Amino acid sequence: SRLADNLAAVRFAGSGESGDDNLQRAAEIEAKAFSAAERQGGDGAADAAVVREYSRAAGEMMTRAIDDVNSVSADDDDASSSSSSSSEDEMSGLAGLIQRLTLKHREQGGQLDQDSIPVMPEPEPRKPLLSSFDIAGVAEYIKSGKCKRIVVMVGAGISVSAGIPDFRTPGTGLYDNLQKYNLPHPTAVFELDYFRENPQPFYLLAKELYPGNFSPTPTHHFIWLLHEKGLLARCFTQNIDSLEAAAGIPADKIVAAHGNFDAAHCLRGHTADVNDVKAHVDRGDVMRCEEVGCDELVKPDIVFFGEALPQRFNRLAATDFDDCDLLIVAGTSLAVHPFAGLVDFPSEDTPRLLINREVVGELDPRMRSLRRMLGRGAGFDFSEEGNYRDALWLGDCDDGFMELATLCGWGDELREMCERK
C-alpha cells in the first residue's frame, strides 16, 4: 500500500493540463523501474526491498519530469507541493540507497539508461513443466511416474451436478436464491451476528443442505480414484456437504476448510450431539445448548464469516502443498480467503491444473509482476508468454475429470464407479 500511495501521489502531481503526456512519460519510467527491480531482486523480503527503493526512485524521477515539463499555475504548484511533501518520508534517504544500488549494479558490469535505471538482461524463460498446458499434458505427467502426491482443492462447483447449487453463479447460485428467507443481504445466513439475532433462516437452509440428501458426483469419485491409486495427498474442500466422505475418501485425506455437519457446538463452545442437531434441523426448530446454565444457540461446525478456520486446515496447508507434485483446483471461484491463497502454496516447480467453468485466480500481468516482486503469491498464469506450469480446462467439472480419467487410462473404472454408486 505504501508503494501504491507513493505512485498515486506522483500521478496526482502530474494531472492537469498536458497531464496525459506527463503520465505517459511517468508510466514509462515506472515500468522500467519495476522491470529492473524484478530482475535484480532476489526473492521474498529482498524482492520487496528492491522494488520499494526503485518505486521511490521512479516516483522522484516522475515528479522531476513533471516539474521540468509543466508550467503550472499557483494552484497546481500547491497541489504538486502537497503531493511532494506527502512523499517526503517515503523518499527519506533515497539518494544514498539508490546510489548504493546503482554502484552495485555498475560493479557487476551493468549499464544505466538515460533515466538512471539499471539496464537488466532479459530473464531466462522457464522450462515448461508440462508437455502441453491442458488436460492431455497433465495426464501425460501423471502417467510418467513423476507425479506421486496430488493435492486437490475443490469448491461448490463440483457438487452442482448432485443438485446442490453453488454460491455465486448469477441466477442459479445459492446467494441469488435466498429471498424466501427475508435476509438483509444474501451472505447474512452465514454471519454470526445475524445468526444470534435470527437463527431460523440458517436452520431452514441447513435442512436443504444436510448430508444424506445428495449423492457424490463423478468428480468426487475421481478424487476417490486418486486415493485408491495411492496418488491423493489431500483434498482441501470448501464444501460443507460432506460428499467427499460419501464417495469413500478417508477422513484423514479430507480437509474441510469451512467445516461441515460432522460435529456441532453451542456458541460458548459446548459440544452438542449431532443426532440431536439433525433432529432439530429436520423439524425446523432452533436448538439451544443443554448444558446446565447455558441455553446458548447451537450450530453445526460450519465456519461462518469472521470465524477462524479449523486448526487442522492451517497445520496441513503448511506442509501438504510443499510436498505435492501436482495441484488440481476445481469448481471454485477462488473468491474467499484464505482458501483462495492456497493456489500459491506449492513450489514454483509444481504443475497446476484448473478445471472450472471460468478462469479464476489469474491476475493481470502488471499485478502479477508486482506481487512476485513483493514476495507474494501471483496466482495462475495462463498467458502464452509467462506460462510454464499451469494447465486449464474450461467446462463442467464432471466432464473435465472424466476426460482426465480417460487420458490416464482410468475411464472405464470411473464410469463403472459412477454407474454402481
Side-chain angles (χ1 to χ4, degrees), residues 210 242 259-266 270-275 277 298-302:
Y210 222 92
S242 297
N260 53 33
F261 293 89
D262 293 350
H265 292 81
C266 80
H270 298 128
T271 300
D273 186 287
V274 292
N275 294 319
V277 175
V298 170
K299 74 175 185 67
D301 285 356
I302 293 168

Side-chain angles (χ1 to χ4, degrees), residues 234-257:
R234 206 83 64 188
C235 175
F236 287 76
T237 177
Q238 292 176 286
N239 300 334
I240 61 176
D241 53 36
S242 297
L243 289 183
E244 295 84 10
I249 302 168
D252 67 307
K253 293 291 184 179
I254 304 169
V255 177

